[in-house]
Amino acid sequence: MSSSAKKQVPVGSRDDLQIDPSRCLRTRFSESVCNHCQAICPAAALSLEDGLVINQEQCSGCLLCTTVCPSGALEQQADFQAIILQLRKVPKPVLGCCRSKEQAHAWLSCLGGLAEEHLLTLSQRLSGALTLNLIHCDDCPNSAILPLLKERLQRMTASGLTAGGCNLVTATSQVELQYQPETVDRRSFFTSFRNSLFQAAADVMQTSAKPVERSSSYGDKRIPQRRELLNQTRSSLPEEQQATAAKQFDHSIRFNTACSACQGCVAICPTGALVSNVQEEHPEFVQERCTGCGLCVEFCLDQAIRL
């Protein structure tokens, strides 16, 4: 294959990201040391010195940064709920990326964007087995996602959080893939349509009635997409798995006697996990909204917060 032909293979770009610099911890507090996105980026496309900046020429859209950003400053453009509905239409669904679009039933710009919260959601909202099409990953510029994705899969399996749900498997060869195109006969069409309607209704019932606003306002409080998925999915888990999910994903905060109740941590928290409470000597902590970003700890002048 010629070098010019190689350049035509789509691998994603900065346009696959939803970017909100005002939510970046380094933007909210200049002394924050958060650099998760910069550390995981294999293309060195991220800069944090003068705020969150992504180099358009270097970014290949691997989406790894979206799996580690704790505040929602970097998120996928893809509608993950729509992807799940698409995968439900077939008995043996395959999830692929833009390079393998001809052999998948739904697609992300890169499977590197599958965080553990996504894997848990896929496992619990699908049935049977879901195959992740990794056939082209080895020779892709985004091949750095492979060991990280496999590590997440192993961690989820070892934790037991995917037990009882859809089996998540990977395919690195055509033999392992066993892809079957979606059938469109009349009977299967109406069955698929009916099932999608029922499941969509169930998803709506599980989702908060108040829509999440995407705003660049500094004072805006919202939960990142990954945390939203987690909160929606684990509510349907058995009690034992809910406890496991809490150990793996939840954080707790303690205030010591040095807390002056200045409410500075309430103002700077990007997710609304800390709320003013006039009845107490310190703010109220809302655990399901906390992503463990640690900004409150960094910002507290009294060093009164322990995460």
Side-chain angles (χ1 to χ4, degrees):
M1 183 183 290
S2 67
S3 59
S4 60
K6 287 184 180 179
K7 291 180 181 179
Q8 294 174 2
V9 177
V11 293
S13 71
R14 179 183 180 279
D15 294 336
D16 298 312
L17 295 171
Q18 180 174 282
I19 306 168
D20 191 343
S22 73
R23 297 191 62 78
C24 176
L25 305 189
R26 297 281 283 267
T27 300
R28 297 177 75 84
F29 182 45
S30 61
E31 295 182 30
S32 173
V33 297
C34 181
N35 69 339
H36 298 309
C37 58
Q38 192 175 51
I40 203 172
C41 180
L46 281 146
S47 172
L48 297 169
E49 283 70 26
D50 299 311
L52 177 59
V53 178
I54 300 180
N55 187 311
Q56 177 74 49
E57 299 299 320
Q58 291 177 240
C59 178
S60 61
C62 71
L63 301 180
L64 286 175
C65 57
T66 69
T67 68
V68 295
C69 177
S71 62
L74 293 162
E75 296 187 312
Q76 299 183 38
Q77 286 279 18
D79 184 342
F80 201 71
Q81 302 287 3
I83 288 174
I84 292 173
L85 290 176
Q86 186 67 26
L87 292 171
R88 282 203 186 107
K89 294 180 179 180
V90 291
K92 296 181 180 179
V94 175
L95 179 60
C97 72
C98 59
R99 296 192 74 189
S100 57
K101 194 165 185 177
E102 73 283 358
Q103 291 184 313
H105 302 103
W107 307 273
L108 289 173
S109 60
C110 182
L111 296 183
L114 290 173
E116 291 178 17
E117 295 90 338
H118 294 107
L119 297 174
L120 175 61
T121 300
L122 288 169
S123 172
Q124 296 302 323
R125 296 198 188 177
L126 298 175
S127 58
L130 169 68
T131 301
L132 304 180
N133 185 344
L134 306 179
I135 293 177
H136 297 289
C137 289
D138 275 332
D139 59 353
C140 175
N142 290 342
S143 60
I145 70 109
L146 267 179
L148 296 174
L149 177 57
K150 291 179 178 179
E151 181 182 328
R152 291 176 206 144
L153 282 166
Q154 291 171 357
R155 194 155 52 236
M156 293 299 291
T157 302
S159 70
L161 281 173
T162 57
C166 173
N167 187 26
L168 304 179
V169 298
T170 59
T172 56
S173 69
Q174 201 67 44
V175 175
E176 294 175 323
L177 185 60
Q178 297 181 345
Y179 169 74
Q180 296 179 356
E182 180 182 353
T183 57
V184 292
D185 62 273
R186 182 182 178 87
R187 182 181 180 85
S188 61
F189 170 78
F190 283 107
T191 300
S192 174
F193 182 67
R194 180 195 62 191
N195 292 341
S196 295
L197 281 179
F198 287 154
Q199 190 58 54
D203 288 340
V204 169
M205 293 297 291
Q206 291 180 3
T207 305
S208 171
K210 184 178 180 181
V212 179
E213 295 182 8
R214 304 301 180 190
S215 171
S216 59
S217 170
Y218 180 88
D220 180 49
K221 307 286 187 182
R222 72 169 176 83
I223 307 175
Q225 293 173 4
R226 298 196 332 264
R227 188 69 187 188
E228 269 193 292
L229 279 175
L230 172 66
N231 289 343
Q232 292 169 15
T233 301
R234 69 176 176 181
S235 62
S236 61
L237 292 174
E239 187 173 334
E240 184 177 344
Q241 285 181 305
Q242 286 194 34
T244 301
K247 290 180 181 179
Q248 185 154 333
F249 295 106
D250 286 350
H251 303 82
S252 60
I253 282 181
R254 294 182 181 179
F255 295 87
N256 62 34
T257 54
C259 177
S260 62
C262 70
Q263 310 301 317
C265 56
V266 174
I268 205 166
C269 175
T271 65
L274 291 168
V275 183
S276 296
N277 189 344
V278 295
Q279 304 297 326
E280 301 288 341
E281 296 179 355
H282 54 72
E284 178 184 353
F285 175 58
V286 186
Q287 189 174 60
E288 61 266 24
R289 301 188 67 91
C290 179
T291 62
C293 73
L295 190 60
C296 56
V297 177
E298 293 180 310
F299 186 72
C300 182
L301 296 175
D302 300 320
Q303 298 182 337
I305 304 174
R306 179 181 178 184
L307 179 65

